[in-house]
Each structure stands twice: as structure tokens, then as C-alpha cells.
Amino acid sequence: MACSSSLVAAEATPVTTKKLADVLFYPVRDAPATTLSLNDTRVSTELKGILKGINIRVGDSVKLGDIVASMECEDYEIAVTQAKAALTAERAALKFDRSRLKKVTQLSKKKNISTEEVERRTSNAAISAADVEGLKASLKATERAVAKCAIRAPFDAVVITKLANLGDYLVPGSPILRLLDRDNVEVSAKVQEQDLDLLKQAKGVAFIANDKRYPLTLRAILPLMESRIRSYEVRLEFTANKAHPGSAGRTEWLTPSPFLPAELLVRRKGLGVFLVVNGNAKFVPIAGASAGQPAAFGKNLSADSAIIINGRFKINDGDTVRVIEP
């Protein structure tokens, strides 16, 4: 009996093993990426006239509502004065027409005035009231024009470029300054089609640039594939510190599920791995595995299984094995 046991031990193939959990790893995926400011604006004038002043220089920071430039405004201020005068005159005319209407209404009750005269006075009062409302709107428009003489920053920003000079005659839409929003920044990355699902499930997504790592979260996947390279543009948001707009780098993330190293796979009936089960080698195929590539951790495997490392090429399914120290 002792001889039989010794013979079996001698015939058993020596192998080394590791716990499956110790060889699993989470592959890193990456994609080229750049940072984009959500607001890269050319601030323009809404008026025509002479550029009177620019209050900031390239490189300066501004806050929302700060005056960054000003237009020559005298013509628009004159228009406000004229509009106020016209409104005052029309209010006086309306007051007179309403007074006359009140008198003719009283006379009509005593049958001392014709119906036609009452209707004419009523019409005059209504026309004057409409004229007053029109002049109010005109005054409001001229006051708005005066307010537009002061050109204000639409958001917190830094001045990138000066596009106009003092004394330039500008028309509506003429750009004056280029402002860049440094706070509202996100990452644009080109992700391969086969990596999209992995990115959706991934944790630990980051933007890497200039040896710095910035945590990200996925915001959106644009539904348009670039057919030449079969990639999609994705947009990601910073969750902590932000890189400067225009930074070039890469987006990196860990796959959500563990993988087996490619070098541990062997081919028998398909690709798979050998486990030690009750002193025998058991071949377990891995669905979807490809030669030379890491394989997704199979659901039919336990993380506590003993996977054969050395000796796996010499054995077949069901062979007796003897575990030795590596």
C-alpha cells in the first residue's frame, strides 16, 4: 500500500499555485484628452460709436459684472433727455384730454352736448394714453442704450486677448476683449467604442497632465462616432482640483471588474486556466478569452481557488498534480 502511494506521488506532476485572488488585477484604460473652458467668449459692443476706454489688461482677472470697457455715450444721453422731454409733454396732453373728457361727460348727462363730441374727446384721451405708453417704452430703450455704454464681464474670467483699441469706431457685434472662464472647465476625451461600457462602470477616473492627477466623473457621451478611428467624444467633470483650460493629457480609469493575466492562460479545449481540485488538475475555460490578452474574471471561478502557475503547460484536465513550494 505504501509502495502504491509512493508510485502515485512520483507520477504526479509537480506544480506551484497561487490563490486566484492574488493574481487578479484591474487593467488600466486610457484615452487622449484635453481640458476645455465652457465659456470662451469674445465680449462685444451692442452699440455703434467710439471706444472710449478699456479698463483692464491682458492677464487680468475680472468678476461677473465688472466694467471692462466703455463706449462714448454722449449721443445716447442726449437721446434720454429728449425722450424724457417728449414723455413729459405727452403726459401733459393726456392730462388735458382727460380733463376735457370729464367735462363733456358731465354735460352729456344733462343733454347739453352731442354724442359725437363725447366720442371725439374719448378718442383723443385714448390716443394720448397710448402715446404716453409708447414714449415710456422709448425712454426705457434709450436708458438701456446708456447702460450698454458700460461693457461688463458676463462671468468670472481672465482676459486672454485685447481685440480693439481706444478710439476705434465700433458697430454692434464688434469684439473688444476675449475672456476665458477658468472655473467652469471640463475634460473632452476620445474613447474607443469597445471601452465605453468599461468607462461607464469605472471608478477612479482621472485626468493626467504634467505628472498631476485630477479626479473626474463622467458627465456625457456624445452620440456621434468618429468612423475613422471608431471613437466617441466623452465629457467629464472635475470633482476636486481643476487643470487649466487647454491642458493636454490623457483620461485614465480602472476597469470595474478584475482580469486574469494573459500569460496564465493555456489552450486546451478553448482558453482557460488550471486549478488544483482534490489533488487533480481541473481545466476551467474562460468565456470570451483571447490569446495574448487579459481575460475577464470568470463567474465560474472562486477567488479562493488555487490556480496553477508553474507546470501548467505540462498537464491536462484530470492529471494528478503535486503542489510544491515555488
Side-chain angles (χ1 to χ4, degrees):
M1 192 70 176
C3 290
S4 177
S5 297
S6 299
L7 183 59
V8 171
E11 292 176 349
T13 304
V15 296
T16 64
T17 64
K18 283 186 178 181
K19 185 182 290 188
L20 188 56
D22 294 337
V23 300
L24 294 174
F25 72 104
Y26 292 82
V28 175
R29 294 284 193 271
D30 64 8
T34 56
T35 55
L36 303 173
S37 173
L38 298 184
N39 298 299
D40 184 349
T41 302
R42 284 165 173 75
V43 177
S44 305
T45 178
E46 296 182 57
L47 308 174
K48 63 179 180 179
I50 303 298
L51 182 60
K52 181 180 179 180
I54 296 180
N55 304 341
I56 53 178
R57 296 180 295 178
V58 172
D60 288 349
S61 294
V62 295
K63 295 291 185 181
L64 170 66
D66 285 354
I67 296 176
V68 296
S70 57
M71 300 287 290
E72 176 58 57
C73 209
E74 185 175 357
D75 290 345
Y76 297 100
E77 291 169 346
I78 291 172
V80 169
T81 302
Q82 292 173 332
K84 286 181 177 179
L87 178 60
T88 299
E90 194 58 40
R91 279 174 170 164
L94 174 61
K95 183 177 180 181
F96 175 76
D97 287 339
R98 284 177 172 172
S99 175
R100 297 296 296 171
L101 176 61
K102 183 177 180 181
K103 288 181 180 180
V104 299
T105 301
Q106 291 172 346
L107 290 173
S108 69
K109 292 178 180 178
K110 298 176 182 180
K111 308 295 184 180
N112 291 331
I113 195 169
S114 67
T115 302
E116 182 181 350
E117 182 64 17
V118 174
E119 290 176 350
R120 188 172 68 84
R121 294 295 182 180
T122 301
S123 176
N124 288 345
I127 291 171
S128 294
D131 288 342
V132 166
E133 293 303 315
L135 290 171
K136 282 182 180 180
S138 179
L139 175 59
K140 186 174 181 179
T142 55
E143 288 175 337
R144 279 175 53 81
V146 169
K148 292 174 182 177
C149 290
I151 300 165
R152 300 178 182 274
F155 46 80
D156 295 352
V158 62
V159 182
I160 299 299
T161 311
K162 189 175 75 166
L163 302 171
N165 296 299
L166 297 182
D168 284 351
Y169 183 81
L170 305 178
V171 296
S174 298
I176 299 173
L177 297 164
R178 180 187 172 194
L179 300 183
L180 185 70
D181 190 340
R182 292 189 301 184
D183 296 326
N184 293 305
V185 181
E186 66 182 22
V187 172
S188 170
K190 302 293 186 181
V191 177
Q192 293 294 308
E193 182 181 19
Q194 65 270 20
D195 287 338
L196 284 178
D197 287 338
L198 296 176
L199 178 58
K200 291 176 184 177
Q201 305 171 46
K203 296 181 180 179
V205 184
F207 175 68
I208 313 296
N210 299 321
D211 298 324
K212 292 183 179 180
R213 187 179 186 90
Y214 303 89
L216 299 173
T217 182
L218 178 64
R219 182 180 70 81
I221 299 173
L222 276 62
L224 177 64
M225 183 178 72
E226 294 188 23
S227 57
R228 184 175 60 85
I229 55 177
R230 299 193 66 80
S231 69
Y232 287 83
E233 181 181 0
V234 303
R235 293 297 182 96
L236 306 106
E237 295 177 318
F238 291 99
T239 59
N241 295 334
K242 300 176 182 178
H244 291 301
S247 300
R250 71 182 191 278
T251 298
E252 183 179 280
W253 66 95
L254 298 177
T255 56
S257 302
F259 278 65
L260 286 161
E263 61 270 18
L264 295 184
L265 300 178
V266 293
R267 185 176 294 279
R268 292 299 183 266
K269 293 181 179 179
L271 285 172
V273 294
F274 277 110
L275 305 180
V276 175
V277 179
N278 298 325
N280 295 319
K282 179 181 179 182
F283 179 73
V284 180
I286 306 296
S290 299
Q293 297 183 10
F297 176 54
K299 295 182 179 179
N300 56 338
L301 300 175
S302 167
D304 293 326
S305 301
I307 185 171
I308 296 176
I309 307 298
N310 296 316
R312 63 187 184 279
F313 297 113
K314 304 176 182 178
I315 56 179
N316 290 299
D317 186 49
D319 288 357
T320 303
V321 295
R322 175 168 51 90
V323 178
I324 62 174
E325 291 296 323

